[in-house]
Amino acid sequence: MRSIKIGTRNSPLALWQAREVARNLQNNNYKTDITPIVSTGDKNLTEPLYAMGITGVFTKDLDIALLNNEVDIAVHSLKDIPTQLPHNIEIVAVLKRDFPQDVLVRKSTSKNKELHELKIATSSLRRRAFWAKYFPETEFCDIRGNVQTRLQKLEDQDFDATLFSLAAIERMNLAVDYEFLPMMISAPAQGVVAVTARADDHEIKELFEKVNHRETQICIDIERNFLRTLEGGCTAPIGAFAEINDKDEVRFVGRLCSLDGKKCMEIDEIFTWNDQENFGEKLAHIILKDGGRELMQEIKLHLQ
């Protein structure tokens, strides 16, 4: 029987994700071999992501390994995968989404501060903009590295708090106090583990049909189509989250913000899903017609 060679970044969280995919494969009686690969995003921990040409910064090296037949599949956090994939690479499966939320983690000395008083460390344009929408006087600073590195920087450096994906904390079983932030709409596809493969590897694609989680697939397709339609190849503060129930009824919330959080367009819709309509694209066009197109132009000019 073929052993499936799994490519992954070498951070603790990425390795957890790779092992989770391996477990799903082993449950279907496949052998696995995990191959860690250092990504460009992990090599450069000084520049903020938005200054590095963020699209694909964590996926490029794994894409190359995949196209060179060094691995059979690559495992990613889906929010890191660009909406435009390289030629002959496609997403063949997603695991069930677990923790999509963003959370706030403070250092012990800032426990008594109000939210608007906190100095926040984050390199995410979305998190900065969404936070600034509610707390416009906030001072921000950049922070890079894996979860454990950022937690150490939180204790060692001169800021009060940082923002994490809850999935990262829960998957690593970290004993960390955190606060839920209902105003922070998740990044599209946040909290989802994805598997990419070569589009012409039909054996792998057929195998992963058994692994793919249908409800998560429907939701992330809506979120990523919303993102793709809005961004047009430009990184921007965009949030999107879809939930589906057993009657195929979807609730979708989406947001586009200016970089400083002062201008925001939001959408909150409930609809019945079918596989004929591109709901993400349709919802994004509502935002674009409501001033989103002009806002995207402003964001592109600021980021040039």
Side-chain angles (χ1 to χ4, degrees), residues 108-227:
S108 53
T109 53
S110 70
K111 293 291 184 186
N112 296 323
K113 287 189 176 183
E114 298 293 330
L115 291 179
H116 70 271
E117 298 175 308
L118 298 174
K119 180 179 179 181
I120 302 287
T122 177
S123 294
S124 162
L125 291 178
R126 174 185 60 86
R127 288 173 176 150
R128 286 186 181 212
F130 289 9
W131 184 273
K133 170 176 162 53
Y134 296 92
F135 309 111
E137 302 305 315
T138 298
E139 182 184 352
F140 293 102
C141 59
D142 288 315
I143 187 172
R144 292 286 313 284
N146 63 35
V147 183
Q148 290 85 349
T149 301
R150 282 183 283 158
L151 285 171
Q152 190 59 53
K153 287 180 179 179
L154 176 62
E155 289 308 313
D156 296 343
Q157 297 183 10
D158 179 29
F159 53 86
D160 298 310
T162 187
L163 299 164
F164 282 105
S165 160
L166 179 57
I169 292 172
E170 291 289 347
R171 289 170 186 168
M172 294 287 91
N173 290 315
L174 295 170
V176 174
D177 289 331
Y178 55 77
E179 299 164 48
F180 283 104
L181 301 164
M183 74 283 200
M184 299 290 284
I185 299 175
S186 309
Q190 187 162 308
V192 179
V193 176
V195 180
T196 60
R198 292 180 294 278
D200 57 8
D201 191 339
H202 301 293
E203 182 185 351
I204 286 286
K205 288 166 68 173
E206 186 176 341
L207 161 64
F208 275 92
E209 287 175 6
K210 303 171 192 170
V211 174
N212 190 55
H213 188 259
R214 174 187 178 269
E215 289 80 4
T216 300
Q217 181 75 61
I218 288 169
C219 291
I220 61 96
D221 281 348
I222 295 168
E223 294 167 23
R224 282 172 61 81
N225 283 331
F226 178 81
L227 173 65

Side-chain angles (χ1 to χ4, degrees), residues 75-93:
V75 178
H76 303 279
S77 291
L78 183 50
K79 70 182 177 68
D80 292 335
I81 300 179
T83 54
Q84 297 295 326
L85 292 165
H87 177 68
N88 201 34
I89 290 181
E90 62 183 63
I91 297 167
V92 295

Side-chain angles (χ1 to χ4, degrees), residues 83 130 185-189 218-232 234 236-242 252-257 265-269 271 278-288 292 296:
T83 54
F130 289 9
I185 299 175
S186 309
I218 288 169
C219 291
I220 61 96
D221 281 348
I222 295 168
E223 294 167 23
R224 282 172 61 81
N225 283 331
F226 178 81
L227 173 65
R228 177 186 53 76
T229 306
L230 283 183
E231 70 179 355
C234 170
I238 295 169
F241 181 65
F252 175 86
V253 291
R255 178 187 291 164
L256 168 65
C257 261
M265 279 132 224
E266 300 187 12
I267 192 163
D268 188 338
E269 297 277 342
F271 53 88
N278 188 330
F279 290 100
E281 183 177 56
K282 194 157 75 171
L283 293 160
H285 278 299
I286 294 171
I287 294 274
L288 288 170
M296 281 302 306

